């Protein structure tokens, strides 16, 4: 059969095959449309409305966004979110990497230790917050009792009673809760490094630091980028842990973006301001997206640099 006759038939067959493939993808796209795209559209539409959840919505234009620009408490929550995220990342990522390398190099009972460090990740962040509210209490808290009883401090520490110490406590609890999953991701990445490279480095007399710096870290670059990106998004979207541990206190010192906008959606002491909360939600999502895209661009530029 001539190629001129065969080619249109083949193209028609490929188009039919593509159409069948798209139809097969449709069932998986419907939940995404129902539970992702529609809520996002709903949020964006209501960000231009004035609505309390009871009466009919009224179009307000950009009034909600104008109000947000002048809302000092909102921008303080944004700043607290960045501080909380930066504090966690600076401690959590290097610590997870070092511990993963220690276990990778054959520490005895490494599996047991990895399991112990991973266990907090299994718990709900809300449950972790409730547990640490009890542990960090100024009066009768086990940690303060231990510190005072051992003579390390003279008076109980107000872990959750002052803005600075409360934010530091929040960072510490967040690191404890999420260290394990990052450790396992790094450890899994290290397991893919060829043994020949490590053996060659050992024969050349390279120590642990040189091996980590010149072999392990370069080989782990793709995993590291993923771990950091997941951590950035997770910390910027924090809600459960902050809500149960500090509830944004004291005096808004640990208020983050999503606990702040939650108050306008569901605060029981006042009438809901769903339009304003939607505007805050849209802005918070944009902030998370901008920071995530900026990190991706920086990491890619570093990867492609000569």
């Amino acid at each position: 059969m001539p190629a001129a006759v065969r080619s249109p038939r083949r193209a028609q067959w490929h188009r039919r095959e593509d159409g069948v493939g798209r139809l097969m993808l449709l069932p998986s796209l419907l939940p995404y449309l129902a539970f992702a795209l529609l809520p996002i559209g709903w949020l964006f539409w209501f960000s231009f409305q004035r609505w309390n959840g009871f009466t009919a919505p009224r179009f307000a234009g950009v009034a909600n966004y104008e109000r947000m620009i002048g809302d000092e408490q909102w921008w303080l929550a944004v700043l607290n979110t960045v501080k909380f995220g930066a504090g966690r990342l600076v401690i959590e990522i290097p610590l997870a990497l070092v511990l993963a390398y220690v276990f990778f190099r054959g520490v005895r009972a490494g599996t047991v230790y990895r399991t112990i460090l991973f266990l907090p990740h299994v718990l709900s962040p809300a449950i972790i917050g409730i547990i640490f509210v009890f542990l960090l209490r100024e009066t009768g808290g086990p940690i303060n009792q231990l510190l005072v009883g051992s003579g390390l401090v003279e008076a109980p520490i107000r872990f959750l009673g002052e803005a600075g110490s409360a934010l530091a406590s929040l960072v510490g609890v967040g690191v404890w809760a999420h260290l394990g999953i990052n450790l396992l991701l790094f450890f899994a990445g290290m397991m893919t490094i060829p043994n020949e490279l490590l053996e060659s480095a050992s024969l050349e007399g390279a120590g642990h630091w040189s091996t980590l710096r010149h072999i392990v870290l370069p080989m782990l670059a793709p995993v590291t980028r993923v771990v950091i990106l997941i951590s950035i998004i997770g910390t910027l979207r924090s809600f459960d842990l902050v809500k149960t541990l500090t509830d944004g206190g004291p005096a808004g010192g640990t208020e983050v973006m999503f606990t702040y906008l939650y108050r306008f959606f569901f605060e029981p002491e006042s009438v809901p301001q769903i339009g304003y909360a939607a505007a805050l939600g849209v802005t918070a999502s944009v902030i998370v997206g901008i920071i995530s895209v900026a990190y991706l661009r920086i990491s890619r530029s570093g990867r492609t640099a000569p």
Side-chain angles (χ1 to χ4, degrees):
M1 183 180 292
V5 177
R6 186 168 59 245
S7 181
R9 291 182 179 178
R10 182 177 297 175
Q12 184 180 5
W13 182 82
H14 281 301
R15 285 195 298 270
R16 185 180 301 170
E17 188 180 47
D18 291 342
V20 172
R22 293 189 182 96
L23 286 175
M24 294 178 68
L25 285 174
L26 188 59
S28 63
L29 292 177
L30 290 177
Y32 178 74
L33 176 66
F35 299 108
L37 294 183
L38 287 179
I40 291 173
W42 179 91
L43 185 73
F44 185 74
W45 185 78
F46 272 111
S47 70
F48 296 99
Q49 308 293 320
R50 185 171 286 110
W51 188 41
N52 59 16
F54 303 101
T55 59
R58 290 186 294 110
F59 182 73
V62 295
N64 290 322
Y65 291 96
E66 291 176 346
R67 175 184 172 186
M68 178 200 66
I69 292 173
D71 190 344
E72 295 182 0
Q73 194 64 36
W74 161 249
W75 295 112
L76 176 61
V78 173
L79 180 61
N80 287 337
T81 305
V82 174
K83 287 181 180 179
F84 173 62
R88 266 190 55 186
L89 290 174
V90 167
I91 299 172
E92 188 176 307
I93 301 300
L95 183 58
L97 178 62
V98 170
L99 287 175
Y101 182 71
V102 170
F103 295 140
F104 175 65
R105 298 302 284 178
V107 171
R108 292 182 179 179
T111 303
V112 175
Y113 295 140
R114 291 199 306 271
T115 303
I116 292 173
L117 290 171
F118 179 75
L119 282 177
H121 186 72
V122 178
L123 297 175
S124 164
I127 298 300
I128 291 174
I130 293 171
I131 292 173
F132 274 90
V133 166
F134 167 73
L135 293 177
L136 296 174
R137 284 188 306 181
E138 182 179 1
T139 303
I143 293 179
N144 265 319
Q145 287 182 337
L146 179 63
L147 292 174
V148 174
S150 60
L152 295 176
V153 297
E154 295 182 357
I157 300 174
R158 300 184 64 194
F159 287 108
L160 306 177
E162 298 176 359
S165 59
L167 188 59
S169 300
L170 199 58
V171 169
V173 175
V175 169
W176 178 84
H178 297 92
L179 178 67
I181 184 62
N182 292 331
L183 187 156
L184 287 184
L185 291 173
F186 280 130
F187 184 81
M190 291 177 187
M191 293 296 290
T192 64
I193 299 175
N195 287 329
E196 293 79 5
L197 289 177
L198 301 173
E199 292 173 358
S200 298
S202 179
L203 290 175
E204 292 292 333
H208 288 304
W209 168 245
S210 297
T211 303
L212 176 63
R213 180 181 176 186
H214 297 292
I215 296 178
V216 175
L217 287 181
M219 297 290 289
L220 275 184
V223 175
T224 303
R225 281 191 289 270
V226 172
V227 170
I228 293 177
L229 180 62
I230 293 174
S231 299
I232 288 174
I233 295 173
T235 54
L236 293 179
R237 294 173 58 228
S238 295
F239 171 77
D240 329 42
L241 181 64
V242 181
K243 184 65 178 175
T244 53
L245 183 59
T246 65
D247 196 18
T254 60
E255 193 84 80
V256 293
M257 291 189 295
F258 288 92
T259 59
Y260 185 72
L261 67 88
Y262 171 89
R263 301 185 188 283
F264 293 94
F265 266 121
F266 303 110
E267 192 66 49
E269 286 82 11
S270 60
V271 177
Q273 302 176 48
I274 295 177
Y276 185 54
L280 296 179
V282 170
T283 306
S285 300
V286 170
I287 291 172
V288 174
I290 289 174
I291 294 176
S292 301
V293 171
Y295 167 73
L296 283 175
R297 287 187 175 275
I298 293 171
S299 63
R300 286 174 181 170
S301 64
R303 179 177 53 184
T304 57

